[in-house]
Amino acid sequence: MKKILIIGASGFIGSHLIEQGLAQGKFQFIGVDTYSTKIQPWLNQKNFEFFQSDYQDLNELDEIIQKTDLVLSLAALCNPAQYNTVPLQVIESNYTQPMKLVEKCHRYNTPIIHLSTSEIYGRTLGSYVSQDSQSNDENSSQASHPINPELVEDETPYLLGPIHEQRWSYASAKQLLERSIYAYGDEGLPWIIVRPFNFIGSRLDYMPGIDGEGTPRVIANFMKSLLSGEDLQLVDGGSARRCFTDIQDAVDAIFQLIENFDECQGEVYNLGAPGNEVSIQDLALQMRSIFRKTDHWQQHCAPVGCEDAIDSHIVKVSSEEFYGKGYADSDRRIPSIEKIQSKINWTPQVSLETSLTQTIHWFIERYG
Ligand code: UGA
């Protein structure tokens, strides 16, 4: 049975890997995290040992890394609301600290799977090129230079904004870590890098005011608005586009990478659902429409004429107003998944509609 150390075990992705990995009975997990809220049901299960600690402070870390078959590195500050407000913490958590983990894996020759980010690609080309020249339409005057919107691991260049746009503190830190892992690979470290494209599902982020503060990522933030009848806010009009990937599809792929580590190692893989692309404006409309079909909305929010009826409007807001100075955005992130599909037997199965419906129901059950 493979023994796996998960750094960041109680996060959204870690909790799903532990839940399903234990159920499959194929893995033995050692988890490390500063909190355990999301993994409570599995804490006392056979094949799972948990250390509640910052991994930097864990005395046993070296010993554990020497004894495990694989390290899964998941811990990170990954909330865009923090990139321009606490950039030093973002760099610390996404480069300085995990770099020490990578060094230890190299020292003990322990394979590592590091979860990086789709944000590596930065603003993406669409920010700099007019819509016309992106068109694949044969009648377009510039159709001879179409931009392939798909992001390809070993080809697409990274376009980050200037230094004062502190949003890019996160992508820069992640990028330097990827480059360091790659370089350690030349020195013998067995590694895989995964770039997640907006995974969603149960246990995503937190609910502001209940189990966290500030602004979580878009799905959790829209859920907060829907549940409280506040407006859904579209940052800079909501024209940015994302491919949301169901956590079940993500977890299936990660387990396959673990099981086929030897054949897959030494590569960077996009992990996302290209078919689930949506603009943030359409996401808001779709989430509100799904929410309005739920029993929760019927019972608590809908009754026309009822004084307590609550409902959310969709409004536009500038990014500076919403996130503060130094925010910038990726315009469009579509993963090429050719590479991962050439190595493992995997195709994303869950549609955006299904994934959003399940996620919305989970949020209602947990916070409604
Ligand atoms: C974030 C992280 O930076 C990535 O590292 C991470 O991989 C990614 O999430 C992910 O979930 O995989 P981003 O997609 O920008 O990147 O995160 P969100 O905060 O969910 O924002 C998505 C879009 O929605 C952005 O255009 C943002 O401006 C917009 N937004 C967000 C709104 O319009 N309204 C909101 O209330 C919140």
Side-chain angles (χ1 to χ4, degrees):
M1 191 179 279
K2 251 192 181 162
K3 194 187 254 191
I4 299 175
L5 168 63
I6 305 191
I7 304 290
S10 187
F12 164 54
I13 302 173
S15 70
H16 280 275
L17 287 167
I18 286 166
E19 177 183 14
Q20 295 190 38
L22 289 176
Q24 288 174 17
K26 288 190 206 156
F27 307 102
Q28 194 180 342
F29 292 115
I30 301 174
V32 182
D33 211 320
T34 51
Y35 71 118
S36 62
T37 332
K38 295 187 182 185
I39 49 170
Q40 281 299 323
W42 306 287
L43 279 180
N44 296 318
Q45 284 207 8
K46 201 173 124 224
N47 293 329
F48 183 37
E49 189 180 0
F50 180 67
F51 292 86
Q52 184 150 352
S53 164
D54 184 327
Y55 67 95
Q56 299 298 306
D57 304 329
L58 186 66
N59 294 329
E60 298 91 338
L61 190 65
D62 280 64
E63 195 189 321
I64 296 170
I65 292 175
Q66 287 178 67
K67 286 198 293 196
T68 52
D69 297 311
L70 179 89
V71 172
L72 255 173
S73 146
L74 307 177
L77 285 186
C78 59
N79 178 359
Q82 295 176 303
Y83 303 165
N84 59 321
T85 51
V86 288
L88 290 174
Q89 283 178 41
V90 169
I91 292 166
E92 173 82 14
S93 120
N94 285 287
Y95 176 70
T96 317
Q97 292 187 9
M99 185 62 195
K100 290 177 192 152
L101 186 69
V102 171
E103 282 163 0
K104 287 183 197 296
C105 289
H106 174 244
R107 188 175 320 143
Y108 303 121
N109 198 32
T110 305
I112 182 167
I113 297 185
H114 175 68
L115 276 268
S116 182
T117 175
S118 56
E119 198 149 319
I120 283 278
Y121 297 103
R123 301 182 66 151
T124 74
L125 275 175
S127 310
Y128 292 95
V129 184
S130 72
Q131 291 297 316
D132 262 6
S133 58
Q134 291 184 57
S135 165
N136 284 318
D137 178 357
E138 283 172 16
N139 300 323
S140 159
S141 55
Q142 298 183 48
S144 54
H145 303 291
I147 301 280
N148 177 7
E150 276 196 353
L151 303 167
V152 185
E153 297 92 329
D154 301 321
E155 289 173 24
T156 306
Y158 312 146
L159 284 172
L160 306 185
I163 298 297
H164 67 85
E165 285 182 357
Q166 298 211 74
R167 158 71 184 240
W168 304 116
S169 59
Y170 172 76
S172 309
K174 286 278 199 195
Q175 191 190 126
L176 188 55
L177 190 69
E178 281 200 13
R179 291 188 187 280
S180 305
I181 292 172
Y182 188 91
Y184 267 120
D186 289 343
E187 308 283 323
L189 173 71
W191 62 275
I192 287 175
I193 288 170
V194 172
R195 294 181 181 158
F197 281 67
N198 295 76
F199 296 172
I200 62 172
S202 58
R203 302 195 287 274
L204 177 68
D205 290 348
Y206 59 90
M207 184 57 59
I210 296 182
D211 50 10
E213 294 304 328
T215 308
R217 286 175 291 185
V218 66
I219 300 280
N221 212 38
F222 282 175
M223 281 316 300
K224 175 191 162 247
S225 302
L226 289 168
L227 287 167
S228 57
E230 291 167 10
D231 293 341
L232 275 65
Q233 294 180 290
L234 301 177
V235 173
D236 291 337
S239 61
R241 303 173 76 82
R242 296 289 187 269
C243 293
F244 291 95
T245 308
D246 192 80
I247 189 67
Q248 186 58 56
D249 281 329
V251 163
D252 288 347
I254 293 170
F255 280 135
Q256 281 205 49
L257 289 173
I258 292 172
E259 291 182 281
N260 299 287
F261 186 90
D262 291 344
E263 302 84 71
C264 298
Q265 67 161 311
E267 298 285 348
V268 179
Y269 299 101
N270 289 337
L271 182 42
N276 284 353
E277 194 191 16
V278 66
S279 72
I280 301 302
Q281 181 170 31
D282 287 346
L283 176 76
L285 288 166
Q286 207 170 331
M287 285 182 68
R288 192 175 62 172
S289 144
I290 296 170
F291 183 72
R292 284 180 176 172
K293 290 184 197 135
T294 62
D295 290 347
H296 178 89
W297 194 76
Q298 296 295 335
Q299 285 159 15
H300 299 276
C301 318
V304 179
C306 166
E307 275 178 25
D308 299 331
I310 56 169
D311 202 0
S312 301
H313 298 281
I314 296 175
V315 300
K316 295 183 179 177
V317 58
S318 79
S319 53
E320 180 144 352
E321 209 179 314
F322 192 84
Y323 287 111
K325 208 161 163 276
Y327 180 78
D329 208 350
S330 300
D331 66 327
R332 192 174 190 197
R333 299 204 296 235
I334 309 176
S336 159
I337 53 171
E338 244 177 67
K339 190 169 162 187
I340 195 165
Q341 290 187 311
S342 73
K343 298 280 185 163
I344 60 172
N345 179 19
W346 177 81
T347 299
Q349 303 289 327
V350 188
S351 70
L352 181 63
E353 170 90 19
T354 303
S355 191
L356 285 176
T357 304
Q358 288 170 354
T359 306
I360 287 169
H361 279 96
W362 180 82
F363 269 92
I364 291 171
E365 210 172 290
R366 171 80 177 78
Y367 301 106

